[in-house]
Amino acid sequence: MMGFLLTIANISGGVLLGLATLDKWDGERNFFNKIARVLAPFQTVIGGALIVLAILKFWNAPLLNVASILGGFLLLTHVIGKAPAFGDSLKKLSDKLMPFKAIIGIGLIVVGVLSIF
């Protein structure tokens, strides 16, 4: 059950993070924009689920779960910046990861689809 939830979170988080690239591939149909519009209010929940579920299932596939943790971290940047104790250091790390946002998003989609099979 946790694996299925992690798969859904990977695909959903990948769509949110990789939206710029997916929108270019989509062309005029705006399919991914419509999906992202539905998923956007749940960005914090999806990011938290990615981090928690990836940590719980870390030893099953460590490399794939590292991608999930990074994706969850990028989805939670707006929440992490408000944390008083470690907000500055995590904000710096988030700023360093931000150029790779689309790559991590597409990677999460691939990880989610691969974990279905």
Side-chain angles (χ1 to χ4, degrees), residues 47-60:
L50 279 172
I51 290 175
V52 170
L53 293 173
I55 289 172
L56 290 175
K57 292 185 60 72
F58 188 76
W59 294 114
N60 292 346

Side-chain angles (χ1 to χ4, degrees), residues 15 19 23 26 28-40:
V15 168
L19 184 62
D23 191 36
D26 190 21
E28 298 294 323
R29 292 185 19 214
N30 289 330
F31 176 73
F32 291 109
N33 284 328
K34 292 176 186 174
I35 293 174
R37 203 173 310 125
V38 172
L39 292 175

Side-chain angles (χ1 to χ4, degrees), residues 28-98:
E28 298 294 323
R29 292 185 19 214
N30 289 330
F31 176 73
F32 291 109
N33 284 328
K34 292 176 186 174
I35 293 174
R37 203 173 310 125
V38 172
L39 292 175
F42 304 105
Q43 178 178 349
T44 305
V45 175
I46 294 169
L50 279 172
I51 290 175
V52 170
L53 293 173
I55 289 172
L56 290 175
K57 292 185 60 72
F58 188 76
W59 294 114
N60 292 346
L63 185 61
L64 302 179
N65 288 327
V66 167
S68 298
I69 292 170
L70 289 176
F73 183 72
L74 282 173
L75 286 172
L76 290 175
T77 53
H78 63 284
V79 176
I80 290 172
K82 296 177 184 176
F86 45 82
D88 292 336
S89 60
L90 290 177
K91 186 71 175 159
K92 289 178 187 177
L93 178 63
S94 172
D95 290 340
K96 290 180 182 179
L97 285 175
M98 203 52 75

